[in-house]
Amino acid sequence: MMLNKEKAYIAGFLDGDGCILFQLIRKSDYRLGFQVKASVIFYQNKKYRWFLLWLKEKLKYGYIRDRNDDICEYNIVGFKAVEEVLGALYPYLRIKHDQAKLALGIIKKYPHNGRDYSPEMLMKIAKDIDGFSFLNYSKKRTITSRTVKKHLVKSKLLSP
């Protein structure tokens, strides 16, 4: 059980050195061709890897990955894990408050098993995920609701 002051501290760290992501990932083995991925990621210089280990101990989910640029990432992936972590940190977030609100809304609105989505539901999720483009700084995002719609129409899974 985390103390409120620990939740507030971790929320401040997420506000400054973390991100909340929802991604649409191409997956040829998925019936509709896309996976919906929810993540919370914390970043830190490798010399402070111990701090990410402390975070993992507190938050109970995820894994730590060492990158080749002297940065470590603590990744929390999956609807259930992201919902639990953001639910605990949400009251204390300032900068990423809107991202967390959008993420929690998406998680509550849609089933967690993406393999069961209908084409119409995937389109709704994709449009909701597009909302992150206004809240995050990502310049690399290439798969949007337009991409998903184009694929679904081309695959004859959705009417134009």
Side-chain angles (χ1 to χ4, degrees), residues 138-155:
S138 175
K139 294 179 178 97
K140 295 180 183 179
R141 189 166 183 265
T142 58
I143 300 176
T144 65
S145 61
R146 291 176 118 188
T147 311
V148 172
K149 184 175 184 178
K150 187 176 176 182
H151 169 79
L152 294 174
V153 168
K154 183 179 176 183
S155 301

Side-chain angles (χ1 to χ4, degrees), residues 40-54:
V40 172
I41 307 170
F42 296 89
Y43 302 94
Q44 194 55 250
N45 186 286
K46 281 184 184 176
K47 68 182 176 180
Y48 299 110
R49 188 177 202 279
W50 61 267
F51 179 75
L52 296 181
L53 291 167
W54 176 82

Side-chain angles (χ1 to χ4, degrees), residues 22 82-84 86-87 90 99-109:
F22 266 75
V82 168
E83 180 178 34
E84 192 168 316
L86 290 181
Y90 181 76
Q99 288 97 321
K101 183 177 182 178
L102 179 57
L104 290 168
I106 291 170
I107 290 169
K108 285 180 182 16
K109 201 173 184 180

